[in-house]
């Protein structure tokens, strides 16, 4: 299903996924306002869009009252810290982005009678007792652990989105995004793919947290954005899983990346992260049935494109932060 939008707001529009979403919206002929406070992103991610007709960039914190921006017919809410080092560094800001920020974005959509798409997360499932994870599963989340600032922010955002849909008839859709990777990820954000690539390119040890037998399901960013656009164009309320159902262990992924680069990096093991999910894999049958969506970029091709981006001559892949060196986290992306 494809609906042409006239003008879109993308909160977190300069983030990893947000910048790709802005790009695809513009390519479809939709005018875009990217709103971002640059807490975990950079204007460089949309530098190629700045001269494009119909694109506007606005620096603003989504938790503050929104300025007058004109009319929108779709609002994508991606504004949030998404990697564990970021949300552990910004715990209160992350909770506010999921609560106050979601309320502000929802109210803007309501005033404009716009379709609202919440970028939620597979983290709402926690360390799941059900595999693969379906949208009917309520999750297994530690509400007071260190990861709870992100997990519970997104769970609250989903609850608020559904409340406004039921009580005020706001046109909403919830996407539960699973692990996403691709160009424009930060080398120092602590997630698995950019960390392994940066380490392999510099022939430094690949650090694996825990046993490495824990699994993830990696979706290339182009596919994730197609899923968000498909949900925006539909009338389904969600939640709908957006992810790749092909599971891979952390150890296997490290070896795939090392082999693709031809790196001599050894593999080292460090302590696992607290409450780290041991299995992560989406059931995407609902997305296939209701949105006609499924990922099409295979992992080998997606990793090749991502490695090529990181290996570009002007890219600095050496500045892994002390947080990353101390502990490797992995998580999906929402902004």
């Amino acid at each position: 299903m494809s609906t042409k939008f006239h003008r879109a707001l993308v909160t977190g529009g300069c983030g990893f996924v947000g910048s790709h979403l802005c790009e695809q919206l513009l390519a479809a002929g939709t005018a875009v306002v990217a709103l971002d406070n640059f807490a975990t992103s950079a204007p460089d991610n949309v530098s190629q869009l700045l001269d494009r007709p119909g694109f506007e960039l606005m620096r603003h914190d989504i938790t503050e009252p929104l300025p007058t921006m004109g009319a929108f017919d779709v609002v994508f809410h991606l504004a949030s810290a998404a990697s564990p080092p970021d949300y552990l560094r910004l715990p209160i800001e992350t909770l506010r982005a999921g609560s106050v920020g979601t309320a502000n974005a929802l109210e803007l959509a309501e005033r404009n009678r716009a379709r609202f798409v919440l970028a939620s997360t597979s983290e709402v499932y926690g360390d799941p007792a059900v595999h693969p994870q379906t949208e009917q599963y309520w999750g297994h989340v530690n509400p007071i652990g260190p990861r709870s600032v992100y997990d519970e922010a997104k769970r609250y955002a989903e609850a608020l989105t559904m409340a406004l849909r039921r009580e005020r008839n706001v046109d909403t859709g919830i996407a539960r995004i699973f692990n996403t990777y691709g160009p424009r990820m930060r080398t120092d954000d602590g997630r698995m793919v950019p960390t392994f690539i940066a380490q392999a390119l510099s022939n430094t040890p690949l650090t694996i947290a825990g046993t490495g037998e824990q699994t993830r399901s990696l979706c290339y960013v182009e596919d994730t954005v197609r899923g968000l656009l498909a949900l925006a164009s539909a009338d389904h309320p969600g939640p709908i899983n957006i992810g790749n159902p092909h599971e891979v262990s952390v150890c296997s992924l490290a070896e795939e990346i090392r082999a693709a680069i031809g790196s001599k990096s050894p593999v080292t093991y460090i302590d696992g992260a607290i409450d780290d999910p041991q299995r992560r894999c989406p059931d995407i049958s609902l997305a296939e049935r209701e949105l006609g969506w499924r990922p099409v970029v295979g992992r080998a091709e997606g990793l090749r494109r991502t490695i090529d981006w990181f290996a570009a001559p002007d890219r600095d892949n050496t500045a892994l932060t002390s947080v990353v060196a101390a502990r490797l986290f992995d998580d999906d992306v929402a902004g």
Side-chain angles (χ1 to χ4, degrees), residues 6-264:
H6 297 290
R7 194 163 182 259
L9 174 67
V10 180
T11 75
C14 290
F16 161 50
V17 174
S19 64
H20 285 276
L21 176 59
C22 289
E23 201 164 37
Q24 290 201 31
L25 283 164
L26 285 169
T30 300
V32 176
V33 175
L35 184 146
D36 208 298
N37 68 354
F38 307 134
T40 61
S41 62
D44 288 351
N45 282 341
V46 295
S47 59
Q48 76 282 8
L49 306 179
L50 293 177
D51 294 328
R52 294 271 295 272
F55 181 73
E56 301 172 63
L57 174 59
M58 179 174 293
R59 182 169 189 166
H60 188 80
D61 189 327
I62 189 61
T63 66
E64 299 297 329
L66 294 177
T68 300
M69 293 181 288
F72 299 99
D73 50 0
V74 63
V75 174
F76 294 90
H77 182 38
L78 282 72
S80 174
S83 73
D86 284 339
Y87 60 67
L88 293 175
R89 176 174 57 89
L90 300 167
I92 307 304
E93 293 87 343
T94 301
L95 285 162
R96 283 177 56 79
S99 54
V100 179
T102 302
N104 286 342
L106 274 164
E107 288 165 7
L108 177 68
E110 181 182 19
R111 290 196 300 271
N112 283 268
R113 299 181 181 273
R115 173 74 165 163
F116 175 86
V117 176
L118 173 66
S120 187
T121 171
S122 59
E123 287 296 308
V124 301
Y125 298 124
D127 186 9
V130 170
H131 189 82
Q133 291 83 62
T134 70
E135 292 85 354
Q136 288 73 40
Y137 178 51
W138 290 357
H140 177 218
V141 174
N142 178 356
I144 59 170
R147 298 173 72 106
S148 67
V149 297
Y150 183 63
D151 302 357
E152 298 295 355
K154 291 296 188 179
R155 287 163 70 95
Y156 176 85
E158 287 196 11
L160 184 60
T161 298
M162 290 304 298
L164 264 75
R165 182 181 180 90
R166 295 186 188 104
E167 296 302 312
R168 300 185 187 174
N169 296 314
V170 181
D171 182 12
T172 63
I174 297 171
R176 288 180 177 164
I177 300 174
F178 281 67
N179 300 82
T180 298
Y181 72 101
R184 299 183 202 146
M185 298 188 85
R186 292 177 9 234
T187 56
D188 66 349
D189 80 354
R191 280 175 279 210
M192 179 171 62
V193 171
T195 300
F196 285 160
I197 290 175
Q199 290 170 335
L201 286 171
S202 60
N203 287 309
T204 57
L206 273 62
T207 49
I208 293 177
T211 66
E213 296 305 311
Q214 64 269 39
T215 67
R216 297 294 184 264
S217 303
L218 302 176
C219 192
Y220 188 64
V221 63
E222 182 180 291
D223 284 330
T224 296
V225 169
R226 282 196 307 102
L228 291 174
L229 292 172
L231 179 58
S233 298
D235 57 6
H236 199 283
I240 292 185
N241 290 337
I242 301 296
N244 193 313
H246 296 290
E247 216 174 341
V248 62
S249 72
V250 173
C251 280
S252 295
L253 180 71
E255 185 54 45
E256 286 179 22
I257 290 174
R258 186 169 63 172
I261 292 173
S263 172
K264 298 178 181 178

Side-chain angles (χ1 to χ4, degrees), residues 309-327:
W309 185 84
F310 276 100
D314 60 345
R315 203 82 57 215
D316 179 9
N317 298 315
T318 61
L320 292 180
T321 66
S322 59
V323 173
V324 175
R327 175 155 300 163

